[in-house]
Amino acid sequence: MPEGTGGTPPRTLAEALRTQSDDSLAALLRARPDLLTPVPSDLSQLATRAGTRASVVRALERLDRFTLQTAEALAVAPEPAPYDTLRALLTGDEGDARIEAALPGAVRTLRDRALIWGGDDRLRLVRTARELLAPSPTHPSPTGLGPTVAEATTGMSPGRLQEILAAARLPSTHDPVSAVASLTALFTDRTRMAALLDTAPMEALSVLDRLVWGPPYGEVTSSPTPPVQWLRDRGLLLPATTRTVVLPREAALHLRAGRAHRTPEPVAPDVAPRTSDTAGGSAGGLAGSSAGGLAGGPLSGSAGAGNRSHVVDSTAAGQAYTALATIEELSKDWNEGGPNVLRAGGLSVRDLKRTAAALDVSESVAAFWVELAYTAGLLATDGEPDERYAPTPAYDDWQELSSPERWARLATAWLTATRTAGLVGSQDSKGRTLAVLGPDLDRGPAPEVRRRILELLATLPEGTAPDPESLLARLRWERPLRGASSAGRSDDLRSRLAAWTLNEAEMLGVTGRGAISSHGRALLTRMPPTSPVSPDGRGPRAAAEAGLGSPRTGGDTGMGMGPRTADDAVRTSGVHTGAELTAAGRRAAAALAPLLPEPLDHVLLQADLTAVAPGPLLRPLAELLSIAADVESKGGATVYRFTPGSVRRALDAGQSASDLHDFLRAHSRTPVPQPLAYLIDDVARKHGHLRVGSASAYVRCDDEAVLDEILADKRSQGLRLRRLAPTVLSAHADPTTLLDGLRTMGFAPAAESAEGDVMITRAHAHRTPPRTAPAPVPDGPPVPDATLLGAAVRAIKAGDLAATVVRKPVQVPEPSAPLSAAAVAAAAASAAAGNGELPRTTSAETLATVQAAAMTGSAVWIGYVNADGAASQRVIAPVRVEGGYVTAYDHTADEVRTYPLHRITGVAELADDPA
C-alpha cells in the first residue's frame, strides 16, 4: 500500500495524489491539460510536473478572484495551515458569512487542481505557488502584507533583538530564536498588542495606517522622526535595507483585525442591465469609437419585454444583412486580384485606406471585415510570384448558400477565431506595427472571451443590454490579473478583448442595441449531452457514480448560463467541437431566417436617372444592376444612378441597348423613364463608333471628320497619334491607355480583336487555389475528452503501481563457506531489486520464477528491454510460458501482451498480489 494512505497523512504531493480516485485524477487532468502532454509515467512524475513554474502559473491564471485570494491567504499563513487559520485570514476577527459559505468550494478547487494538498488540519500550498504568491521586496503580494518577524529579523544582531524586547517590555532571552518567538507571540496576541498600541503616539499610529494595507515598505532617513523611531524601537518597523523599513506581517494582521485582504470577493458581481439615462454611448464608450457604431441606445424601460426582444432581433437582423453585403462588396472590390501582400505579410496601410474608402467605413472597421473574411476562408493569398489577396473558391460556394446560412458561417468563424482585428495599428514587443492579415494578430484567449461575453449577455432578460462596466467587472472577477499592481487595470488584454467583442458582435448582428439577439443565443446553445462515460470507459452508470454529471465538472444548462460556479463557467467557455459549432450554426441560421427580408425581383425607376431597390435584390438582378448603374446611397433602400459611364460599362460587358431596355422593363414596377431610355440609346449609338486595336495601338473610324476632331484636340497630344490612312490613326500608347484617353475626351471607343471583332470586356474573377481557413491558435493545450482521460489515468496508475509496488525480499542463507563471484552478483541483484532498480536474474531463475507465477496465478515484477533498447519496469501476471515467450496480463499497459524471455532482464516476486 502506498505511503500516505490508510490514515497516515501524506508527506508529499505525490503521496496525496495516490490517495485520489480515478475520477479526481481525471478532473485534475481536465482542469490542467498541460499535465497530460506527454502522459506522465507515474504519479510521482505527475506531481513533479504539477509543481513546475510554467504549469503553476497557468493554473493560477485560471482561478477566479476568490479562489486566488484563498491561495494568496494560504501563502501568507504558516505552513502547514489548519482550515480554521485560513478562514480567520479571510474573514477576520468579525467573521463573514458569505466568505465562510464560499471558502469550502475555493479550497476544493485548489485541491482538485493540485495547488494545495493535505487534510483540512494540514493544508499545504505547492511550493512553487507559495514562491509566486508569498510577499517579497521585489514581488509584493496582492494582500499588501510584508515578511514575518522571523524573516525580517534574519541577520539582525542578538543585541539589537534584546533592545527591541526591552523597549516592548518583554523579558530578555538567551538566544535570537527565542527572542524572535517572544516578539512574534506579542504581535499575535490581540490583548497585549492592543495595550502596546495604546501607548503609541498619534503620529506613530498615522504611520502604521499608511503602511497597514500595503505596500508595507517605507523609506527612512539616517535621523528618523520620533514617531518612526518609537516604532523601530519596539519592532513595529523592522529594517529591510539601510534606508527602508517594513511593517511585519503579524503586526499588520493585528491592525487589519486579522484580515489578509482589504476587500475579499467571495461572490461574483452580477451583470447589471444598462439604465436608460446612461445608455447613449455606454457600450460605444467602452469599446471605443472605432466600431461601426452601436445601432442606437437601449430601449425604453417602459417597453414590454416582448417588444424589446423584437426590436433587438430586428436591429440585429439588419446588421446581419449589412455584414453580408459588406463582405460581398469587399470580395467584388478584390475580385480581379486584390492588393499586394507585404514582404513581411499582411496588407499595407495605403491598401487598407483604399479598402476602407471602397467600403465607406473607417479603417479599423475595414480591418475587422477583412480579417473576418480571411478567418472564414473567403479571402487568401493567391501564391503567385507577385502575390496578391483574392477571393477563394470557398467564396463562390459561400455565395450559393442562403443568407441565413452565409451569416452563420461568418458568425461561427468569428466566435472561434483567435485573430484579433482590434490589434491592427498597434505595435508588437519589437516596435513593429501590426498589419491587417499580417502575422502576430493571434491571441489565444480571444475565443473564450467572446463566448463568455455572449454567455453573460444571455443571462439577462431578453432584449436587455448590459452595463459595460459591470460586465467587465464580472470578467475581471472570473479571471483576475495576478499581482498587486494589476488591480483595477482596464488596459489588459482580456478587457480590450471584451470591448472589441461588444463592438464586433454589434457590427456582425449577434447583438442589437447592445442586447443579445435570438439568433445570437442560438450560437451558444448546446445540444443535450450524450451519455457520459467514466474515465475508465465503463459507461454512463459508472460516470454517474463518478460524479461526471455534477456541476463541478461541466454543467451548461443549454444557454451558456448554467454552471454553478464562475470557475466552471470559465472552464467550459469556448470549448466546442466542430460538430457542435456546425449544429449551433444551423440553429442560428434557422432563428435568423424569419427576420431577414426575402430578396426582391424588382426596382423602382425614377425620372432623375435613378433606381430605388426597396430591399435586398435577387443575385442576378443585383449583379447586372451593379454593372449598369453606380450605387449612390445605401440603407434600408439602395439608390442606384445611371450615368453614361455606367451604361458604357454595361455595353462593354456584352449587353446591347435592346438588352438593357428589356432588362429594365422586366424588373421595374414603374415605366422606364424617357430620360433613361434616351441615355441608353445615345451611349449605345456612340459605343463602338471608334475601334482601337494594337499596332502598338491604332484607331480606325469610317467617319474621317471624327478622326480630324481627335487630332485637333490638344488632349490627344500625349497619345502621340499619327494618321496612317484617311480612316486609321496609329498611337505609341498601348490599347488600354488609348481607350482611357479617348474616353476622357468624350468619345465612346470600343476595343477590337485582331480579326476586327468588338472585344467584350467582362470583369475577370481572379481566384486563389483552394485554401483552408486559418486554424485558431489555442491558448494552451486543448481540453482532453473522456476517452483520452480514461486511458491516461489508467496508464498513470499502472505505471505508479510498477514504480511503487513492494517486492518480496530475497532470503540469502548464511553461507558456511566463502561465496563465489556468481553468488555475490546474485545477492547484489536482489538488493538492487529491493531498492526499486531493474531486477537482474539469470535466465534459469527468470524462467523458473515466471513458470511458478503462471501456475499459481500470481503477479511478478520484471525488468524489460524492448527492441529499441529502452528499459522499463512492468508488473505482469503470467498466463502461459512456452517457446521462449511468456504471455501475461500487463498491469502497466492494462492489456495482455507477449514478451520474449531473452528480453526480460530479471524478475522479482511481489509481496502482495495487485490483482
Side-chain angles (χ1 to χ4, degrees), residues 204-581:
L205 295 178
S206 299
V207 173
L208 293 178
D209 289 340
R210 291 196 295 269
L211 300 177
V212 62
W213 290 110
Y217 294 90
E219 293 186 1
V220 295
T221 62
S222 56
S223 300
T225 60
V228 173
Q229 188 61 47
W230 189 94
L231 295 171
R232 293 185 64 180
D233 291 342
R234 287 152 183 80
L236 293 172
L237 291 179
L238 294 172
T241 64
T242 55
R243 299 180 58 86
T244 308
V245 292
V246 64
L247 177 64
R249 185 183 307 170
E250 294 85 352
L253 286 173
H254 173 83
L255 296 170
R256 298 179 178 195
R259 194 185 292 269
H261 292 86
R262 189 169 197 166
T263 310
E265 299 183 51
V267 179
D270 293 329
V271 179
R274 194 168 65 195
T275 56
S276 57
D277 57 342
T278 61
S282 297
L286 170 67
S289 58
S290 62
L294 298 179
L299 303 173
S300 172
S302 60
N307 186 43
R308 290 200 306 267
S309 177
H310 175 72
V311 173
V312 166
D313 287 347
S314 300
T315 304
Q319 290 294 105
Y321 173 74
T322 302
L324 297 178
T326 304
I327 295 296
E328 290 181 357
E329 189 173 351
L330 172 65
S331 298
K332 287 179 182 178
D333 188 47
W334 290 10
N335 197 42
E336 298 184 46
N340 291 324
V341 181
L342 294 175
R343 182 178 302 177
L347 206 64
S348 67
V349 175
R350 180 180 58 187
D351 288 328
L352 177 60
K353 290 181 178 179
R354 190 194 65 78
T355 301
L359 299 179
D360 193 23
V361 295
S362 64
E363 294 174 26
S364 57
V365 176
F368 167 69
W369 295 122
V370 172
E371 283 288 345
L372 179 61
Y374 176 69
T375 299
L378 307 181
L379 295 177
T381 58
D382 58 9
E384 299 293 334
D386 184 19
E387 198 170 25
R388 290 174 172 269
Y389 290 103
T392 63
Y395 171 73
D396 298 319
D397 298 335
W398 179 76
Q399 277 194 308
E400 297 301 321
L401 300 174
S402 64
S403 295
E405 291 174 328
R406 285 186 290 146
W407 179 85
R409 283 275 300 274
L410 295 178
T412 53
W414 168 76
L415 195 59
T416 58
T418 56
R419 293 190 64 83
T420 308
L423 293 172
V424 171
S426 60
Q427 293 185 338
D428 61 9
S429 57
K430 297 182 180 179
R432 296 173 299 192
T433 301
L434 300 178
V436 183
L437 301 180
D440 303 325
L441 286 183
D442 286 287
R443 295 296 182 269
E448 178 193 312
V449 172
R450 291 193 191 106
R451 177 165 292 278
R452 189 57 187 151
I453 285 286
L454 298 184
E455 287 175 348
L456 291 175
L457 293 181
T459 62
L460 296 173
E462 292 186 1
T464 304
D467 175 62
E469 291 303 326
S470 69
L471 190 64
L472 281 183
R474 175 62 174 265
L475 283 180
R476 294 191 189 109
W477 187 91
E478 292 180 347
R479 285 288 179 83
L481 290 176
R482 207 167 41 82
S485 60
S486 303
R489 285 179 52 185
S490 59
D491 60 343
D492 61 285
L493 177 61
R494 291 181 65 86
S495 296
R496 289 184 293 158
L497 286 173
W500 295 330
T501 296
L502 290 174
N503 251 343
E504 292 169 0
E506 192 76 24
M507 289 189 290
L508 190 55
V510 178
T511 61
R513 296 198 172 192
I516 190 167
S517 61
S518 59
H519 46 279
R521 290 175 185 269
L523 281 175
L524 303 176
T525 306
R526 290 177 184 262
M527 295 298 290
T530 56
S531 297
V533 295
S534 62
D536 56 3
R538 291 175 293 163
R541 181 172 181 179
E545 294 172 355
L548 293 183
S550 65
R552 294 293 303 173
T553 58
D556 199 299
T557 61
M559 291 301 292
M561 302 181 293
R564 297 289 181 87
T565 66
D567 178 65
D568 293 330
V570 173
R571 188 168 58 217
T572 57
S573 290
V575 182
H576 273 256
T577 64
E580 287 177 330
L581 281 173

Side-chain angles (χ1 to χ4, degrees), residues 25 62 251 307 327 338 411 449 590 658 683 779 839 860:
L25 291 177
R62 280 156 177 75
N307 186 43
I327 295 296
V449 172
S658 59
V683 175
D779 184 24
V860 293

Side-chain angles (χ1 to χ4, degrees), residues 68 105 138 171 185 211 245 255 416 457 490 494 519 542 562 682 691 738 751-752 762 808 897:
L68 183 59
T138 56
L211 300 177
V245 292
L255 296 170
T416 58
L457 293 181
S490 59
R494 291 181 65 86
H519 46 279
D682 288 346
R691 300 295 182 88
L738 183 56
E752 71 176 11
R762 288 190 174 94
K808 182 181 295 184
R897 289 185 175 182

Side-chain angles (χ1 to χ4, degrees), residues 71-243:
E72 291 166 352
L74 202 55
V76 298
E79 190 179 32
Y83 180 85
D84 292 340
T85 300
L86 176 62
R87 180 177 56 194
L89 284 172
L90 290 167
T91 61
D93 297 341
E94 298 178 357
D96 191 319
R98 296 187 308 161
I99 294 177
E100 292 182 3
L103 184 57
V107 172
R108 182 169 57 251
T109 298
L110 292 173
R111 185 179 280 121
D112 290 346
R113 299 194 179 190
L115 292 173
I116 66 173
W117 55 278
D120 285 350
D121 58 334
R122 298 176 62 85
L123 292 174
R124 293 179 181 271
L125 196 63
V126 172
R127 183 180 61 182
T128 307
R130 177 173 286 273
E131 293 173 355
L132 291 169
L133 299 177
S136 68
T138 56
H139 298 91
S141 168
T143 61
L145 293 170
T148 63
V149 172
E151 294 169 345
T153 55
T154 301
M156 184 177 291
S157 66
R160 175 58 184 152
L161 285 173
Q162 296 302 321
E163 292 176 358
I164 294 176
L165 293 181
R169 298 182 180 180
L170 294 175
S172 60
T173 62
H174 299 287
D175 58 89
V177 175
S178 57
V180 170
S182 178
L183 192 60
T184 302
L186 170 64
F187 291 165
T188 54
D189 189 316
R190 292 285 189 267
T191 304
R192 291 195 294 158
M193 187 65 174
L196 175 63
L197 293 177
D198 287 342
T199 64
M202 291 300 298
E203 295 82 358
L205 295 178
S206 299
V207 173
L208 293 178
D209 289 340
R210 291 196 295 269
L211 300 177
V212 62
W213 290 110
Y217 294 90
E219 293 186 1
V220 295
T221 62
S222 56
S223 300
T225 60
V228 173
Q229 188 61 47
W230 189 94
L231 295 171
R232 293 185 64 180
D233 291 342
R234 287 152 183 80
L236 293 172
L237 291 179
L238 294 172
T241 64
T242 55
R243 299 180 58 86

Side-chain angles (χ1 to χ4, degrees), residues 443-789:
R443 295 296 182 269
E448 178 193 312
V449 172
R450 291 193 191 106
R451 177 165 292 278
R452 189 57 187 151
I453 285 286
L454 298 184
E455 287 175 348
L456 291 175
L457 293 181
T459 62
L460 296 173
E462 292 186 1
T464 304
D467 175 62
E469 291 303 326
S470 69
L471 190 64
L472 281 183
R474 175 62 174 265
L475 283 180
R476 294 191 189 109
W477 187 91
E478 292 180 347
R479 285 288 179 83
L481 290 176
R482 207 167 41 82
S485 60
S486 303
R489 285 179 52 185
S490 59
D491 60 343
D492 61 285
L493 177 61
R494 291 181 65 86
S495 296
R496 289 184 293 158
L497 286 173
W500 295 330
T501 296
L502 290 174
N503 251 343
E504 292 169 0
E506 192 76 24
M507 289 189 290
L508 190 55
V510 178
T511 61
R513 296 198 172 192
I516 190 167
S517 61
S518 59
H519 46 279
R521 290 175 185 269
L523 281 175
L524 303 176
T525 306
R526 290 177 184 262
M527 295 298 290
T530 56
S531 297
V533 295
S534 62
D536 56 3
R538 291 175 293 163
R541 181 172 181 179
E545 294 172 355
L548 293 183
S550 65
R552 294 293 303 173
T553 58
D556 199 299
T557 61
M559 291 301 292
M561 302 181 293
R564 297 289 181 87
T565 66
D567 178 65
D568 293 330
V570 173
R571 188 168 58 217
T572 57
S573 290
V575 182
H576 273 256
T577 64
E580 287 177 330
L581 281 173
T582 302
R586 291 196 190 101
R587 292 190 294 272
L592 178 62
L595 302 173
L596 291 179
E598 290 291 334
L600 304 176
D601 62 351
H602 65 273
V603 294
L604 305 176
L605 296 178
Q606 301 186 111
D608 60 349
L609 300 181
T610 59
V612 178
L617 301 176
L618 292 173
R619 186 171 304 282
L621 173 58
E623 289 179 350
L624 186 52
L625 196 59
S626 65
I627 297 174
D630 298 323
V631 176
E632 188 170 80
S633 65
K634 300 178 183 178
T638 304
V639 178
Y640 296 87
R641 178 168 294 279
F642 294 93
T643 64
S646 67
V647 174
R648 179 193 55 75
R649 189 168 62 234
L651 297 175
D652 287 343
Q655 300 291 325
S656 64
S658 59
D659 293 337
L660 292 177
H661 285 301
D662 293 341
F663 167 76
L664 294 177
R665 280 194 296 269
H667 294 287
S668 176
R669 289 291 178 90
T670 58
V672 178
Q674 190 177 54
L676 179 57
Y678 285 170
L679 173 66
I680 295 174
D681 292 337
D682 288 346
V683 175
R685 186 167 49 253
K686 297 178 182 179
H687 187 264
H689 192 51
L690 291 177
R691 300 295 182 88
V692 175
S694 56
S696 244
Y698 65 85
V699 181
R700 70 179 182 88
C701 181
D702 295 335
D703 190 346
E704 297 181 21
V706 174
L707 298 183
D708 292 338
E709 181 182 352
I710 293 174
L711 289 173
D713 197 321
K714 293 182 180 180
R715 291 175 293 178
S716 67
Q717 293 179 359
L719 302 176
R720 301 175 65 184
L721 298 172
R722 182 171 61 88
R723 188 185 291 272
L724 298 180
T727 58
V728 180
L729 300 177
S730 68
H732 287 278
D734 60 89
T736 302
T737 304
L738 183 56
L739 282 168
D740 293 338
L742 292 175
R743 286 167 181 164
T744 57
M745 294 167 60
F747 298 97
E752 71 176 11
S753 64
E755 291 78 16
D757 299 325
V758 175
M759 296 177 61
I760 297 174
T761 57
R762 288 190 174 94
H764 174 62
H766 181 61
R767 292 292 181 267
T768 69
R771 303 285 195 213
T772 57
V777 179
D779 184 24
V783 177
D785 57 20
T787 303
L788 176 58
L789 284 175

